[in-house]
Amino acid sequence: MSVTRRTVLQGAALAALVSQVPVTRAFAQDKVIRFAMPQDFTRIYTFVTSEYSQGQRDYISLVNGRGGINGYTILADVSDHGNDMPRAIEAYERAKAEGAVLIDPLSTPVARALVPRVLEDKINLITAFSGRSDAADGSVFPYVLPLTPNYWTQAGLLIDFFRQQDGDLKGKTICFVHIDTPFGKEPLPILEKLAEKEGFKLQAFPYTPPGNDQSAIWPQVRRARPDWVMFWGAAVGQTVALTEAIRNGLPMDRVSSSVWISESDMEVVGKADTKGVLKVEPCASGRDPQIIQDILKEVVDAGKGAGPKEKVGTSYYNYGVMLAALMVEGVRMAFEKNPNGPINGEWMNAGLRSITNFDAGGFIPPTTVTPEDHQGGGKARIARWDGEKFVPATDWYSANQDVVWEEVRKYSAQFKATGK
């Protein structure tokens, strides 16, 4: 049985987001599996969240429209935590009381705050492209699952790509411009290690969140005469960073981002002006992948889409599809291991940690999640903006995993010893 609740959201993201969020209330006799998705629709990660959530809900609608998994439908419980800790914790406690098997808050500070609770409650915390990088160590964080390359791996991929282009990074200067939050500072340990290993000079430039004004930062970056620039933020901070990089004359083909840059950001800054910008790409972009074609045919064109059709196939939309596909694969594996349940966090955890060589029909790199490796192998690719779309510049691959895992184990050991 389902009812519809009017969800009131405020802020710029609302213009691109549907104002009616369908919520299904499960009754004891219903065969449903609850995914809790309280995310930030109204404060920091606005444009990111609207497209990401749309992709998640459309994929879940595709699965449910095909009969679900083993006769069970997936219930996507979407709400807005506004990146506010009390609201996020309230949403988590509600999800726990309602029997959610996982929670995906899409926020590094929220994810960090929830870690002790999910470890105690045995509810799976999805931290794709967010959260703490040492959570890749499943032996210490059994209920925290990035399922995707963490920030340390993303930084390691970019540094390796720079090395491939220049042949050697010894004596080079790499500037790291980042939002001054735990999320923005997350890559620093691995960048410092790689600077020591590769012999490049690392200069970090933090800016005050959310990043509306970076005018004092970028002239300093220009004066550093960098060989490469890595900018690390989300939403408005990313478009402001690109605008300032252009204003200061930095060559776009030497400017790079984590996964958090999208076609929408390029439209804001100027699609032609940003030609050459690099990013880490965790899944295929655009509408060509079969999984996106299926969503268009069976969900969007059938009038069941969760948001604007023009957003289908954007980077952030496809990230949402990617994560929903991994979550649903976890459900499928959980049924394979324990067909009779009980359906709870432990049951779901066994499924998620059994995902093997899953690529969603070539949409994502082959992903294998184990009790030890929660980032799924750490594969992604580098893509370059050609003025209209992101084009792969490499195949799926991983890099610098020896350095990444050395740091993962060091910091996870600290958490195990101190709880911090």
Side-chain angles (χ1 to χ4, degrees):
M1 173 178 282
S2 66
V3 297
T4 299
R5 177 183 66 193
R6 184 173 182 81
T7 300
V8 180
L9 300 174
Q10 298 176 339
L14 184 56
L17 186 68
V18 290
S19 59
Q20 298 280 339
V21 177
V23 174
T24 304
R25 299 195 183 284
F27 291 82
Q29 70 273 22
D30 291 341
K31 297 179 71 173
V32 299
I33 297 169
R34 180 181 292 270
F35 291 175
M37 296 166 168
Q39 295 165 1
D40 174 19
F41 290 93
T42 53
R43 191 178 174 196
I44 304 294
Y45 308 125
T46 51
F47 282 102
V48 172
T49 310
S50 61
E51 295 174 23
Y52 176 85
S53 176
Q54 183 182 340
Q56 285 191 320
R57 285 177 284 151
D58 280 353
Y59 182 77
I60 289 170
S61 293
L62 176 71
V63 171
N64 287 341
R66 291 175 170 178
I69 305 295
N70 278 26
Y72 281 73
T73 57
I74 307 298
L75 189 158
D77 188 357
V78 179
S79 61
D80 176 29
H81 61 53
N83 221 36
D84 176 74
M85 291 309 118
R87 290 170 63 186
I89 291 171
E90 179 185 355
Y92 169 77
E93 292 297 334
R94 185 175 64 251
K96 181 175 72 173
E98 293 176 342
V101 296
L102 65 79
I103 181 168
D104 178 10
L106 193 64
S107 162
T108 290
V110 171
R112 280 181 167 270
L114 290 179
V115 165
R117 291 173 187 258
V118 301
L119 294 179
E120 174 71 22
D121 298 333
K122 297 184 177 179
I123 294 175
N124 300 281
L125 174 64
I126 306 301
T127 60
F129 319 129
S130 59
R132 50 190 305 157
S133 292
D134 56 357
D137 186 350
S139 67
V140 175
F141 298 94
Y143 284 85
V144 185
L145 296 109
L147 302 180
T148 53
N150 61 23
Y151 288 136
W152 292 347
T153 289
Q154 292 179 45
L157 282 164
L158 287 170
I159 294 296
D160 186 73
F161 182 79
F162 302 162
R163 183 193 57 76
Q164 291 179 36
Q165 303 307 299
D166 290 356
D168 186 358
L169 294 179
K170 189 174 183 180
K172 304 283 186 179
T173 296
I174 297 177
C175 289
F176 178 62
V177 182
H178 66 93
I179 188 169
D180 195 11
T181 65
F183 153 62
K185 291 184 282 192
E186 186 72 21
L188 280 171
I190 202 71
L191 289 174
E192 290 165 354
K193 280 287 183 182
L194 289 173
E196 182 180 340
K197 176 185 177 184
E198 299 287 348
F200 63 83
K201 180 181 179 182
L202 175 67
Q203 293 193 43
F205 297 89
Y207 61 78
T208 303
N212 304 68
D213 184 2
Q214 301 175 33
S215 57
I217 297 295
W218 285 90
Q220 299 177 55
V221 176
R222 183 191 68 232
R223 288 194 289 273
R225 302 175 66 83
D227 295 283
W228 295 94
V229 176
M230 195 182 296
F231 63 106
W232 209 274
V236 65
Q238 295 291 79
T239 54
V240 172
L242 270 178
T243 301
E244 291 292 342
I246 294 169
R247 192 195 312 276
N248 282 276
L250 294 165
M252 289 294 98
D253 62 354
R254 291 267 161 170
V255 173
S256 63
S257 170
S258 69
V259 300
W260 292 126
I261 197 76
S262 164
E263 296 82 358
S264 299
D265 300 309
M266 300 314 197
E267 290 178 5
V268 170
V269 180
K271 295 195 291 186
D273 293 338
T274 51
K275 186 176 179 180
V277 170
L278 298 158
K279 66 175 284 188
V280 177
E281 189 170 67
C283 65
S285 297
R287 293 184 171 187
D288 289 341
Q290 186 60 50
I291 195 171
I292 303 300
Q293 288 293 312
D294 290 347
I295 288 173
L296 282 166
K297 179 180 179 181
E298 299 178 37
V299 178
V300 178
D301 291 344
K304 302 174 185 176
K309 183 175 181 178
E310 61 267 25
K311 295 298 183 184
V312 175
T314 66
S315 293
Y316 296 159
Y317 179 95
N318 285 12
Y319 297 177
V321 173
M322 173 188 187
L323 263 299
L326 284 163
M327 295 172 190
V328 171
E329 177 66 5
V331 170
R332 192 185 70 77
M333 292 302 299
F335 273 119
E336 189 170 306
K337 293 180 72 69
N338 294 296
N340 298 319
I343 295 173
N344 54 26
E346 293 177 84
W347 173 85
M348 184 70 190
N349 188 257
L352 288 168
R353 303 212 292 179
S354 300
I355 293 173
T356 303
N357 207 29
F358 177 67
D359 69 356
F363 180 58
I364 65 175
T367 300
T368 296
V369 183
T370 70
E372 293 77 30
D373 178 7
H374 279 190
Q375 68 166 349
K379 291 182 180 178
R381 66 189 180 194
I382 306 300
R384 187 184 296 280
W385 179 249
D386 72 355
E388 292 295 332
K389 61 185 180 302
F390 286 103
V391 178
T394 70
D395 291 329
W396 306 121
Y397 79 119
S398 61
N400 289 310
Q401 289 298 286
D402 54 340
V403 179
V404 168
W405 274 95
E406 182 180 349
E407 292 301 290
V408 165
R409 293 190 178 97
K410 182 176 80 175
Y411 282 86
S412 65
Q414 289 179 8
F415 177 85
K416 188 175 183 179
T418 68
K420 298 180 180 176

